[in-house]
């Protein structure tokens, strides 16, 4: 069974549209993340979230918003898409026991292309 | 916030030789340092990690060293094989923050 899954795998859309990417983990982890990997392969944290706290990278535009219906899901909503939003978006999860960090498991990625 | 520098950006080694990738971090509160391998079109996958209370960790051909005083950590791969060719990322993390990644090293294993 897939530990961290994302849908869709590919997303092609027009500028100005609103879109969502879904993420689910079946590992029972308490923390989920969204990362953006641009065309130069740079991986950057966008959000980290557990049921207590949302941490937002200050460089992320407010057009991006995470939504967590429950502990196993963290969806990413993007409003008014721009060309520069084209990238691969990775969801990840981990069990974070206070200050003690554990392995983050990544989803397969969603390649977003904005035309 | 945290800043992670990674060098080199590209590393080409002969099959069977060793490869070393180095990273530095800026935030002394970071306490977790994983290394990820990413093959083309695939997700990043953890290959080894180290916590701030440990100076060195080894797993078969892969080892990581951490110098907290100098705020740098390194990945060592011995007896390199063609399947080691990939992009390798170092990262640093503290608390509930997400991982801050280095810019990656493209490792090429020459036959």
């Amino acid at each position: 069974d897939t530990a961290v899954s994302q849908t869709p795998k590919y997303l092609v859309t027009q500028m100005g549209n609103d879109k969502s990417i879904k993420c689910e983990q079946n590992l029972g982890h308490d923390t989920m993340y969204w990362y953006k990997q641009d065309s130069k392969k740079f991986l950057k944290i966008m959000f980290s979230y557990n049921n207590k706290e949302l941490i937002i990278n200050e460089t992320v535009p407010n057009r991006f918003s995470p939504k967590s219906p429950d502990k196993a899901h963290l969806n990413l909503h993007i409003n008014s898409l721009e060309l520069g939003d084209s990238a691969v978006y990775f969801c990840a999860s981990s069990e974070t026991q206070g200050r003690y960090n554990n392995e983050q498991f990544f989803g397969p990625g969603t390649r977003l292309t904005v035309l | 916030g945290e800043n992670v520098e990674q060098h080199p950006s590209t590393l080409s080694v002969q099959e069977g030789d060793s490869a070393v990738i180095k990273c530095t971090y800026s935030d002394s509160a970071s306490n977790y340092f994983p290394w990820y391998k990413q093959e083309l079109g695939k997700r990043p996958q953890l290959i080894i990690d180290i916590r701030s209370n440990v100076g060195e960790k080894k797993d078969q051909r892969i080892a990581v060293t951490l110098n907290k005083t100098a705020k740098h950590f390194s990945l060592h791969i011995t007896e390199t094989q063609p399947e080691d060719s990939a992009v390798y990322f170092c990262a640093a993390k503290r608390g509930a923050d997400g991982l801050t990644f280095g810019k990656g090293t493209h490792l090429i294993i020459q036959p």
Side-chain angles (χ1 to χ4, degrees), chain A residues 11-29:
Chain A
L11 182 54
V12 180
T13 188
Q14 300 286 332
M15 263 196 316
N17 284 350
D18 302 337
K19 290 293 179 186
S20 295
I21 306 172
K22 294 185 177 182
C23 177
E24 177 181 3
Q25 54 96 3
N26 63 6
L27 298 165
H29 287 164

Side-chain angles (χ1 to χ4, degrees), chain A residues 2 4 31 33 35 37 41-43 45 48 53 55 90 96 98-108, chain B residues 31-32 36 38 40-46 49 51 87 89 93-103:
Chain A
T2 304
V4 183
T31 307
Y33 311 84
Y35 292 88
Q37 187 168 44
K41 304 299 184 189
F42 299 156
L43 268 164
I45 180 69
S48 65
E53 188 178 15
I55 300 175
F90 287 100
T96 303
R99 293 177 60 245
Y100 193 75
N101 284 289
N102 294 304
E103 176 182 357
Q104 287 189 21
F105 291 83
F106 281 75
Chain B
N31 59 6
Y32 178 63
Y36 281 83
Q38 188 178 29
L40 191 62
K42 301 283 183 67
R43 73 189 79 190
Q45 293 204 295
L46 182 77
D49 58 10
R51 294 186 175 85
V87 179
F89 292 94
K93 187 179 190 292
R94 68 168 187 177
D97 293 357
L99 293 168
T100 299
F101 283 92
K103 291 188 175 178

